[in-house]
Amino acid sequence: MTLDRSQFAINTLQWTDLASGWEFADPAFLAKQPRVLREVAESGFTAVMLEVLPTQTISAYRTLIGESGLRVAPGYLSVPLPEEHGVTLAPGSAEEFRWFDGIRWGADETLLLGLDTVFLSAEMVTGGGMPRFDVAAGVGHGFDAGRLERFTETIGRAAEILTAEGVRPAFHNHVGSWIETQEEVEHVLDAIPDTVLGAGFDLGHLYWAGADVPGMMRRYRDRIAGLHIKDLDTARVAELRAEPLPYFASTGNGFFLEPGLGGVPLLDHLRELPENFDGWIIVEVDQPSIEPLASAKASWRWVTENFPSN
């Protein structure tokens, strides 16, 4: 493994409160965004995960990034399963085509910001009615083989669209989605050709879901296009595996931690990367254990303590 500091970026998600909703979609975040980017730069990170707000143009975002002096790292797209929204789409219909409009827009954002990779995930429905959020997170609650197959087909179609546009999609697991366990993630990756879909694991969420993280890193090492990393309160993880709780009931009070502050063996996991790995590692502390700037500084300190500058 020959990672260096230039390969690390941070997700500004930790400047928001996920439990209160998707703040990036709130027009009020537009006024907050420049300060967030200044704090990213102040923390030591030189790159930030791409996040064009739904309330701004790509051009405006590109200007803001230029003014911040930061580089952008691959962003994140999620694809919804029609049935989760009470929709049935006829194959080949205009409605089916437009179901993937968000994927096409994401390809545009990626390419116009000078990137060629994006993380691709199964949508999470957080506003109620999603059992893995509302009932039990991280244990494969409510597994349904047919739904997994239908979601795999939907992800495959999204991956084909991105690949055709010249963007490398990397499948991104997430606790709370219908693809959260090792078996579910492996089903997706094994069903879709590696020429169409890479791997973009979130190592913290794999650990939470009880996956064999180093084993998965080894099995799919040649498909890994990028990673998200975070640390966790691993004693709390063990409790949740024994007695699972809803997502937000699980993640409060310092559950997510900055790299090096918890018990996830992140360095051991990263050593499983190919020697010539040149992708991005994005630090994503979903809910920081300390205030956001201090969290970012602690995360960058871990990077500098463990990886050389190029």
Side-chain angles (χ1 to χ4, degrees), residues 1 6 13 25 61 64-65 85 98 120 126 157 161 178-179 190 201 227 230 236 244 257 274 307:
M1 177 189 65
S6 69
L13 187 67
Y61 178 78
L64 192 60
I65 287 293
H85 296 265
R98 295 192 65 84
L120 178 64
T126 61
R157 178 66 184 125
I161 292 168
W178 285 125
I179 305 173
D190 293 348
F201 300 134
L227 296 171
K230 55 176 63 65
R236 179 68 175 149
L257 294 168
F307 301 96

Side-chain angles (χ1 to χ4, degrees), residues 113-141:
L113 269 297
L115 298 169
D116 60 5
T117 304
V118 69
F119 293 91
L120 178 64
S121 180
E123 181 193 45
M124 292 173 294
V125 181
T126 61
M130 176 61 178
R132 291 185 178 181
F133 256 84
D134 303 339
V135 180
V139 292
H141 177 76

Side-chain angles (χ1 to χ4, degrees), residues 13-14 18 174-175 202 204-205 208 229-234 236-237 247-248 250-259 261-262 284-290 295:
L13 187 67
Q14 66 188 67
L18 277 176
H174 204 293
V175 167
D202 184 307
H205 281 267
W208 179 5
I229 63 170
K230 55 176 63 65
D231 219 331
L232 301 172
D233 178 344
T234 50
R236 179 68 175 149
V237 171
Y247 189 93
F248 287 124
S250 303
T251 58
N253 301 317
F255 176 76
F256 293 116
L257 294 168
E258 293 67 26
L261 299 186
E284 180 189 71
V285 186
D286 302 42
Q287 295 169 259
S289 66
I290 47 183
S295 172

Side-chain angles (χ1 to χ4, degrees), residues 3-227:
L3 292 175
D4 65 63
R5 296 172 196 172
S6 69
Q7 292 174 260
F8 286 83
I10 192 167
N11 186 353
T12 57
L13 187 67
Q14 66 188 67
W15 274 266
T16 71
D17 180 5
L18 277 176
S20 299
W22 191 247
E23 191 177 348
F24 289 143
D26 186 340
F29 193 81
L30 275 170
K32 181 178 176 180
Q33 192 183 34
R35 175 180 63 79
V36 170
L37 294 176
R38 286 195 301 271
E39 291 191 359
V40 168
E42 180 183 344
S43 74
F45 280 93
T46 61
V48 64
M49 185 176 119
L50 187 156
E51 186 68 59
V52 179
L53 304 180
T55 52
Q56 72 187 157
T57 64
I58 298 173
S59 177
Y61 178 78
R62 184 166 47 194
T63 297
L64 192 60
I65 287 293
E67 292 171 349
S68 74
L70 297 168
R71 299 172 295 137
V72 288
Y76 168 94
L77 298 174
S78 66
V79 59
L81 184 65
E83 67 192 61
E84 290 294 302
H85 296 265
V87 174
T88 300
L89 300 175
S93 66
E95 290 78 13
E96 183 193 41
F97 181 90
R98 295 192 65 84
W99 191 255
F100 296 95
D101 279 352
I103 298 299
R104 296 184 184 90
W105 296 333
D108 255 355
E109 293 174 357
T110 299
L111 295 169
L112 289 172
L113 269 297
L115 298 169
D116 60 5
T117 304
V118 69
F119 293 91
L120 178 64
S121 180
E123 181 193 45
M124 292 173 294
V125 181
T126 61
M130 176 61 178
R132 291 185 178 181
F133 256 84
D134 303 339
V135 180
V139 292
H141 177 76
F143 174 78
D144 181 282
R147 181 182 53 232
L148 174 60
E149 190 58 43
R150 293 187 295 275
F151 227 143
T152 300
E153 292 172 358
T154 303
I155 290 165
R157 178 66 184 125
E160 289 171 352
I161 292 168
L162 290 164
T163 300
E165 295 296 334
V167 176
R168 174 66 164 164
F171 184 71
H172 186 71
N173 59 290
H174 204 293
V175 167
S177 78
W178 285 125
I179 305 173
E180 69 176 5
T181 66
Q182 176 171 338
E183 292 75 17
E184 291 163 347
V185 174
E186 289 178 339
H187 179 88
V188 170
L189 290 175
D190 293 348
I192 301 172
D194 59 4
T195 54
V196 174
L197 183 65
F201 300 134
D202 184 307
L203 300 187
H205 281 267
L206 281 181
Y207 185 97
W208 179 5
D212 173 10
V213 182
M216 292 185 72
M217 294 281 287
R218 287 191 292 270
R219 180 175 179 183
Y220 298 106
R221 65 166 50 191
D222 293 333
R223 292 179 72 168
I224 296 173
L227 296 171

Side-chain angles (χ1 to χ4, degrees), residues 291-307:
E291 65 90 17
L293 178 56
S295 172
K297 287 181 175 179
S299 298
W300 183 247
R301 185 163 53 250
W302 177 83
V303 173
T304 61
E305 289 173 351
N306 291 287
F307 301 96

